[in-house]
Structures are given as structure tokens and as C-alpha cells.
Amino acid sequence: MIIMKSDATKEQVRHVVKEVEKYGLRADVSAGDYRTVIGLVGDERKIPFDHFAILPGVKEARMVETPYKLVTREYAKMAGEPERRIIKVGNVEIGGDELVFIAGPCAVESKKQLFTIAEGCKKAGAHILRGGIFKARSSVHSFQGLGSAGEEEAREALQWMREAGDKFEMPVITESRGEGQIDLIAEYADIIQIGARNMYDQDLLTAVARKKKPILFKRHFGAGIEEFLSFAEYMVAEDNKDVILCERGILPLGKGKSYTRYTLDLAAVPVLEKETYLPVMVDPSHAAGRRDLVLPLSFAAIAAGACGLIVEVHHNPVEALVDSAQQITPDDLKILIDTAKTIRKDMAGKKKK
Ligand code: PEP
Ligand code: MN
């Protein structure tokens, strides 16, 4: 990390960036009101700190010992950048004062199904529409999502998402399961989701970040917080800071019958918020795996400080092709959203006092 003097000129910053690039590294320039901080991205063995430290305008060049740095609040603070990143998607602000609710079916099954659910979600108060077109499934014999049938089918389903989003005035999000799907998805979606199973796929992360669209990044069920942030760093290192972190449950303990699909790690929410400026959301649906737990977990997540939720909703959950047990109805979504907002309002009132 190179910290420039507060009176360093633009020319001096440009010169440092050129020097950094000469060594085959990339420079992440954060120009704050007070001073500019340059994060170096690349193989740390190549970095001649002593050389950088004496360049004109440089206050300090030092090694950061954590496997991530660009995502930290400390980095933003040093650069004089906001301590919270607000990500704008259409008219929606993620990480701002208002809670954001992403809702929709686990999988897009048909145009009619999608439009019925989208309308219900909008009426319930949702802001963003979700819908899986490329599904990450544990068995090759299960329904893999309409997109897996071929490019034409994928494009058609993506078009439905776009149309439903436009009709009900909600930006849309869908998951990219692999590098080969990114270009097509980016043509239609406003936010690209990286699923829990792909959290460790650094090539996928790099490729998706280069689309310069917001990304919803889900924590792998076996990943620690440090790993989660280290892999978020892959996207921020591509100069895409529009990354929404999503806690969705880690592997549950115990033998035999498990009562929840995963264990929602609620402590991760305030921990991540202390560590990073990126907004943190929670997915209660995949954590619970059962619809009777989705509302209580949602309320707990809001109380823990999440800036929003991503919830699976189906007009007829028992008939859903994927994740039937955990999808809630639009009526339940309305109760969820109204109650979550009340909790948030109550918390905000207490903070002010
Ligand atoms: C999903 O949101 O559709 C999904 C598959 O979630 P996760 O990656 O968290 O399992
Ligand atoms: Mn699902």
C-alpha cells in the first residue's frame, strides 16, 4: 500500500502509478478528499517497497499483512472514502438508509410463473427481483434451470426476467454459474450473483468483476470470514467495488437429522460490517431450508444489522421445481417486509437517542 502525502500533486500520483505498472502490478487508486492511497494488486514478491517509498509525493510505502486489504474499512478510511459503500442499482440503493429486499423464485420455471411471482413480490414491497436460470444443483439428475438447456433457452428466460423487472419496476438479479455464462447474463441482468458453491472460483470472480456490474457474492458454507473477504478482494482488485456480501449459512453440526439446511452465521453480519465497507445482506431461505424459519431468521438478520435480505418466494411453493420446502408466499413476504422495516425503524430510533 502506498500512502501519498496530503499535498501530493496529480502528476506525482500518475508517476507512482506508472512506476507500479512498470513492475507488472496494478494500481488501485483511491483519491479521497484528504489524501490518495494506492493499493498494489499483484504478486507481492515483485514489490520494491524501498524504491516506491522515495518517489516524489509518497509519504509511506508499506506491506499489509492480511490476505485482503482493498475491501477493508481501514483502507477506505485512509483514502478518505465513505465508510459504507452505497451501491446504486436503478432507483434502489443497497447499503443506504433503507432496507432492500430481493425476492423471487429459486428457479425461473416459465414466463407465467415468473410474472405471477414478480407481481406478488412487488405488491409485498420487494425492490429487486431474483430468479435462477442457471441453477447450482447437487445432483446432475435434478432440474438444472432453464438456461442449462442451451443458449436459446437461456436467452429466452433472461428476456422474461428483463421484461418482468421492467414491468414491475424492479432491477433483476440472476446467478452466473460459470465463466461461459457471464456475457449473456450481463446483457440482461442488473446484478450478477455468484453462488456459495463458486465462492472459491477466482477465475469466475475476476471475469464477473470485469463486467463492471454489481455483484451479489455469497459466502461458501465452509468458508471462514477471512476467506470470504479474501475472495471478495479478487473482484475489488479488478476495480469493481460494487460487491454485496451475502451470508447464507454454514455447515450445520450434529449427527443424523439436521433441523436446518445450514446454520445461519448471524455473527458474520456485524463482524463483516466492522471489517469492510461493502454492504452485507442475508439469505434466510437457503440457510433455513424450511419456510417456517424464514421469517424469524429474517428478523434476526435485520436486528444483527443486515442492509437487506434475499428471499425465495413462490406463488405455489409446494409445486416449485426447486427448493420447494423453503419458498414462502407473497403474502408471507409482505409480513416479512413490514415487520423487518418496523425492527429497523425501532433500531434507528434507539441509535439516535
Ligand atoms: C440461490 O440463491 O439460488 C442459491 C443457489 O443459493 P446458494 O448459492 O447460497 O446456495
Ligand atoms: Mn434456491
Side-chain angles (χ1 to χ4, degrees):
M1 183 183 288
I2 299 175
I3 302 158
M4 301 299 291
K5 289 180 182 158
S6 52
D7 60 355
T9 63
K10 279 192 182 143
E11 194 42 55
Q12 286 172 332
V13 173
R14 266 199 293 273
H15 179 229
V16 172
V17 170
K18 260 200 194 144
E19 282 295 305
V20 167
E21 288 169 351
K22 226 164 74 185
Y23 285 88
L25 302 157
R26 205 180 69 70
D28 180 89
V29 182
S30 290
D33 291 340
Y34 180 54
R35 70 158 43 103
T36 298
V37 173
I38 303 169
L40 308 191
V41 182
D43 187 342
E44 63 197 26
R45 291 170 309 174
K46 290 188 194 165
I47 305 176
F49 282 100
D50 294 346
H51 170 61
F52 291 153
I54 54 166
L55 292 176
V58 172
K59 179 171 181 266
E60 196 187 338
R62 66 170 151 101
M63 183 74 185
V64 179
E65 296 299 333
T66 51
Y68 55 85
K69 54 184 178 246
L70 305 175
V71 297
T72 60
R73 285 181 72 157
E74 191 196 354
Y75 184 74
K77 206 163 140 191
M78 236 177 321
E81 286 188 358
E83 283 187 39
R84 294 259 151 263
R85 185 166 185 84
I86 296 176
I87 301 174
K88 290 201 174 73
V89 194
N91 291 330
V92 183
E93 285 191 351
I94 299 169
D97 290 339
E98 304 291 325
L99 290 175
V100 172
F101 298 92
I102 304 176
C106 176
V108 176
E109 298 167 10
S110 68
K111 186 170 182 183
K112 192 161 174 250
Q113 173 249 20
L114 179 65
F115 275 64
T116 308
I117 296 170
E119 185 173 16
C121 289
K122 179 71 186 184
K123 279 191 184 148
H127 305 95
I128 298 172
L129 177 65
R130 67 152 283 152
I133 290 168
F134 296 98
K135 293 304 304 171
R137 304 304 305 277
S138 302
S139 169
V140 72
H141 305 295
S142 324
F143 174 57
Q144 310 283 306
L146 292 175
S148 295
E151 190 182 326
E152 219 174 289
E153 289 83 353
R155 196 176 280 283
E156 189 180 31
L158 284 161
Q159 254 155 5
W160 299 337
M161 279 293 283
R162 184 73 270 154
E163 282 172 36
D166 292 345
K167 179 167 183 197
F168 299 108
E169 295 177 334
M170 291 185 281
V172 297
I173 172 172
T174 196
E175 174 172 347
S176 179
R177 212 176 41 198
E179 280 179 71
Q181 298 156 4
I182 297 173
D183 286 345
L184 184 62
I185 289 174
E187 279 184 48
Y188 298 94
D190 301 295
I191 307 175
I192 304 175
Q193 177 172 322
I194 297 296
R197 285 155 195 80
N198 291 317
M199 190 204 88
Y200 292 105
D201 188 342
Q202 64 196 66
D203 293 319
L204 176 63
L205 302 184
T206 302
V208 83
R210 288 185 181 160
K211 282 287 156 199
K212 301 287 183 233
K213 288 205 165 200
I215 300 157
L216 183 100
F217 185 48
K218 292 186 130 190
R219 177 183 179 186
H220 186 275
F221 33 81
I225 305 275
E226 184 171 279
E227 279 179 299
F228 188 27
L229 288 173
S230 299
F231 281 85
E233 181 102 345
Y234 272 97
M235 293 172 282
V236 175
E238 290 302 321
D239 202 18
N240 186 347
K241 292 193 173 78
D242 287 341
V243 177
I244 306 145
L245 301 175
C246 181
E247 161 59 33
R248 46 77 73 208
I250 52 178
L251 289 172
L253 295 173
K255 282 191 206 160
K257 183 171 164 56
S258 178
Y259 290 87
T260 56
R261 193 171 173 186
Y262 295 95
T263 298
L264 187 60
D265 180 12
L266 279 177
V269 178
V271 165
L272 286 167
E273 286 191 332
K274 286 200 163 69
E275 198 64 19
T276 174
Y277 52 83
L278 299 173
V280 182
M281 280 198 159
V282 166
D283 172 349
S285 307
H286 289 91
R290 38 190 277 199
R291 83 185 112 261
D292 61 327
L293 300 186
V294 170
L295 272 73
L297 289 184
S298 295
F299 305 150
I302 298 307
C307 73
L309 303 169
I310 174 164
V311 184
E312 287 192 343
V313 178
H314 201 286
H315 61 296
N316 186 6
V318 287
E319 296 283 316
L321 290 182
V322 189
D323 286 349
S324 154
Q326 71 197 30
Q327 306 209 51
I328 61 168
T329 60
D331 285 348
D332 281 342
L333 180 69
K334 181 156 177 19
I335 300 169
L336 186 160
I337 291 177
D338 291 348
T339 314
K341 281 184 175 168
T342 309
I343 295 170
R344 171 71 161 219
K345 213 167 129 194
D346 207 25
M347 284 167 61
K350 295 253 161 39
K351 243 185 220 168
K352 270 184 207 130
K353 273 177 206 163

